[in-house]
Amino acid sequence: MAVLDAHRTIDAVWKLESARIVAALTRMVRDVGLAEELAQDALVAALEQWPATGVPDNPGAWLTAVAKRRAVDHVRRSRRLTLQQEQLAHELEQQRDVEPEPPSGPEQDDLLRLIFISCHPVLPPEGRIALTLRLLGGLTAQEIARAFLVNEPTVARRIAAAKRTLAEERVPFTLPEGPELAGRLSSVLEVVYLIFNEGYSATSGDDLMRPGLCHEALRLGRLLAELVPDEAEVHGLLALMEIQESRSAARTGPAGEPVRLDEQNRGRWDQLRIRRGFTAMLTARRIGGTPGPYVLQAAVAVCHAQARTAEETDWEQIAALYESLARLLPTPVVQLNRAVALGRARGPQAGLVVADALAADPALRDYHLLPSVRGDLLLGLGRREEARLEFQRAAALTGNAAERAFLHRRADGIAPAAAPGPTLGGAAAEFLAREDLDAGTVRSYGQTLRRLGLALGERRPLTTVTPEEVARTFTATWGDTAAATWNRHRSAVRSFGAWAGADGLADGLARRAGPGHRTLPLGPDQLAALWSSPGPAPRELALWRLLHESAAAVRTVLALNVEDLDLEDRRARAGDGWVSWRAGTARLLPGLLAGRSRGPLFLADRRPGPARTPGPADLCPHTGRGRLSYERAEYLFKRATRELDPAGEGFTLGRLKPGS
Amino acid sequence: MRYLMTTKATDTAPDEALFAEMGRFIEELSAAGVLLATGGLEPGGILVTSSGEEITVTDGPFAEAKEAVAGFALIEVRSKEEAIELARRFRRIVGDGESVVQQVFGP
């Protein structure tokens, strides 16, 4: 026999026999890790001998016999021999060459003990999974690693850590009884279903399914059904897995993409598995009791399997089953399934109500099926744009390549709303490109329309923009500007609306009364920010303080001369009246004066050019500079306050005047 | 993967011991989650032949009855070697004769 063939045969025999061998050895040596090592020794012996001698007639018995001999040797070598072990060793010696026991009570119990110990709650979930596949499935660390897309050392570490934990925690090799049984059994079922699900809906990687894991889980499920025949949930899990697996051929398309349940070709469902699933379900029902989570989920699967077409599906029944399930397992995922069923049974709105309630659940924040389900329901309601965004969000969240491609296709399959016409941004650009507008108008209108585009979305179809939205944007952006500014923006929108055939666009905007409109004073926070801002020069700070404290008109203050000041009384003569100030200005004035005794109080930055010589009254005899102009003062204030202004424009000096 | 093992008829009638041993074997395979379906087949059967447009239905038994399949087992295993190993165990129980093991494609 070729060595390669022999090795393949040994591997096959090993996978069929290893669980029973390890289980029997664990009963002898009371240490699952040691038992597995002894069994591995037997495997090594087979690998050495069989290629030369040929595979023995009963390879399982051969492996068992060799492993048991190793166990006896080990127990004998062990220094701390207890009486019990002595006796055990003796017994073993007696039966060393006897044929293995038939698959009756004790051996079956050993297998069951092995399952319970592999799925023991002291182990972390990944440890339980790895150890179960290793000990019950006979899989190598490499095979487990490949199935879970992790590297081999990781799996080897998990297995080693699990064995160590079991030894350290002195987990007994016994069958749980009484109240403990239910919890331990549910841990076992959970591990089996986790293995199945990792294979059925691969959470990562490129393929949607990894059938090897499904088959391992099914094997374990069937084995459990034989070993624990009186537990309804065991049969429920088996039914659930059989029926889900029956759809494996139909649930992926030619390119590996997922095919949704209601679009699957039911002729490709595996009737053999469905029948096995039904049989398991009947067994579960015969056992009776309150249906547990697996029986309920299996009942849902049965509903689907019984429907010859998607339309025949009894969604009311499924919704009711999920409702029962939600009472047992109030998890967001169960609620999400209930939302799907309700959406089918009573219309998308009913489903959406349940799905929307889950949106705030942090557990589902990164769960791609939530936006995917919402997308379906929204699409059913004709809310196409929202549906498209949800599918895109789902695609961004899934870790599975085939599923991502599928979700992208769903998003792309939703055309933007019918005949959208020009967008706000597009129409604005076209409007501003007209040749009959002068540069100043284009600049002014451009400012208005850019702001509108930012607030409402450049890509918004123009026809969907409502006057109310425009009014809201105006209030938020220019609500407290001077009436003239407001009216300028308003006329820009009116002009644009008339040109674009959207006449009503400015309907929500009332024209503001011009000069009589009092500008709003700056608030205390804004003033505080202004006084403490590091940017402005001493001249600006003094001017602003003075304007604020005196409440005088800007032009009046700018017209002040040094010789008019009465620093002691904190006031200055201005025409027929007085301009007075308080401590803030008083503190700043000496620095501003810098020893000047005559000429304009507020000076320009530079000396005037030869073409624009101001009159002697506006010229500083000390520095030769001119008086600060109103325009320049306004400009500097506007620039300095741009960051304080929510609209980003900056304020006018008039707003420094305190409110009455 | 699935394999169908078919077994040809033999002249010797099975005795009770064989039945018992077979029963245990089947139980064991079911417990291991390997055996999906199994059954024995009536000797004879019905022959349906098509030739051109013509469909002919003929009742058995037929001349080549020795070649006829007497039983089948549909098994689900991880490899061809596992299928062969199970076939070996089966043959060891039933004694002289032949079985054919073929991989099943689909569904």
Side-chain angles (χ1 to χ4, degrees), chain A residues 77-157:
Chain A
R77 266 202 319 274
S78 169
R79 286 191 206 127
R80 294 180 297 132
L81 277 185
T82 64
L83 192 63
Q84 191 192 1
Q85 278 170 318
E86 186 89 68
Q87 196 182 346
L88 187 64
H90 180 72
E91 277 172 26
L92 290 172
E93 198 138 72
Q94 296 298 304
Q95 52 167 280
R96 64 157 46 167
D97 291 320
V98 178
E99 279 289 294
E101 309 157 30
S104 59
E107 190 179 333
Q108 301 293 84
D109 283 354
D110 284 347
L111 263 182
L112 192 53
R113 285 189 191 104
L114 191 63
I115 295 178
F116 275 118
I117 211 170
S118 302
C119 301
H120 199 282
V122 298
L123 304 175
E126 64 270 21
R128 294 180 214 171
I129 289 171
L131 196 62
T132 301
L133 287 172
R134 171 73 164 170
L135 298 183
L136 276 308
L139 267 58
T140 63
Q142 192 191 9
E143 286 167 324
I144 299 169
R146 213 183 303 134
F148 281 90
L149 305 182
V150 291
N151 56 33
E152 191 181 337
T154 302
V155 172
R157 261 199 310 278

Side-chain angles (χ1 to χ4, degrees), chain A residues 31 40 137 159 168 180 214 295 341 359 365 433 441 464 473 558 612:
Chain A
D31 177 336
Q40 287 286 333
I159 293 172
E168 284 167 3
E180 199 199 348
C214 292
V295 170
R365 201 184 48 210
T441 311
T464 67
T473 307
L558 287 173
R612 294 182 54 195

Side-chain angles (χ1 to χ4, degrees), chain A residues 601-657:
Chain A
L601 175 58
F602 295 99
L603 293 174
D605 298 304
R606 294 188 199 89
R607 296 178 188 206
R612 294 182 54 195
T613 310
D618 293 329
L619 209 58
C620 172
H622 304 277
T623 62
R625 294 189 203 173
R627 190 181 293 279
L628 177 63
S629 73
Y630 175 79
E631 289 74 20
R632 178 74 183 162
E634 283 285 13
Y635 167 77
L636 289 172
F637 186 64
K638 193 161 213 162
R639 201 181 60 177
T641 54
R642 201 167 285 162
E643 303 210 330
L644 297 176
D645 180 9
E649 309 235 317
F651 301 125
T652 57
L653 286 167
R655 299 189 60 187
L656 282 167
K657 204 186 280 191

Side-chain angles (χ1 to χ4, degrees), chain A residues 461-604:
Chain A
L462 184 59
T463 49
T464 67
V465 178
T466 65
E468 292 74 31
E469 283 177 305
V470 174
R472 263 202 305 281
T473 307
F474 261 62
T475 310
T477 314
W478 298 297
D480 53 2
T481 56
T485 309
W486 171 277
N487 290 337
R488 177 166 58 81
H489 290 302
R490 174 176 172 271
S491 66
V493 172
R494 280 164 62 90
S495 174
F496 170 64
W499 174 85
D503 286 329
L505 217 51
D507 281 1
L509 307 172
R511 186 180 166 75
R512 286 193 173 174
H517 180 76
R518 214 177 54 80
T519 50
L520 286 166
L522 295 180
D525 292 349
Q526 286 168 315
L527 285 171
L530 189 62
W531 304 147
S532 62
S533 63
R539 181 192 64 190
E540 267 68 56
L541 283 173
L543 172 64
W544 301 343
R545 275 281 188 180
L546 182 52
L547 284 170
H548 178 64
E549 291 180 2
S550 68
V554 179
R555 287 183 195 279
T556 308
V557 168
L558 287 173
L560 291 176
N561 289 322
V562 177
E563 57 268 32
D564 302 330
L565 303 184
D566 181 349
L567 292 179
E568 206 143 303
D569 285 346
R570 292 181 180 174
R571 61 179 188 168
R573 178 165 292 282
D576 297 336
W578 294 91
V579 170
S580 53
W581 56 86
R582 299 194 303 273
T585 308
R587 225 177 10 254
L588 294 168
L589 279 178
L592 179 68
L593 291 171
R596 292 182 290 142
S597 57
R598 291 170 56 238
L601 175 58
F602 295 99
L603 293 174

Side-chain angles (χ1 to χ4, degrees), chain A residues 17 57 216 222 270 273, chain B residues 2 33 76 78 89 92:
Chain A
E17 302 292 337
D57 269 356
E216 289 303 330
R222 292 178 195 142
D270 185 345
R273 284 202 198 283
Chain B
R2 287 177 180 181
E76 189 156 63
R78 282 169 286 211
R89 293 186 188 183
R92 212 176 292 125

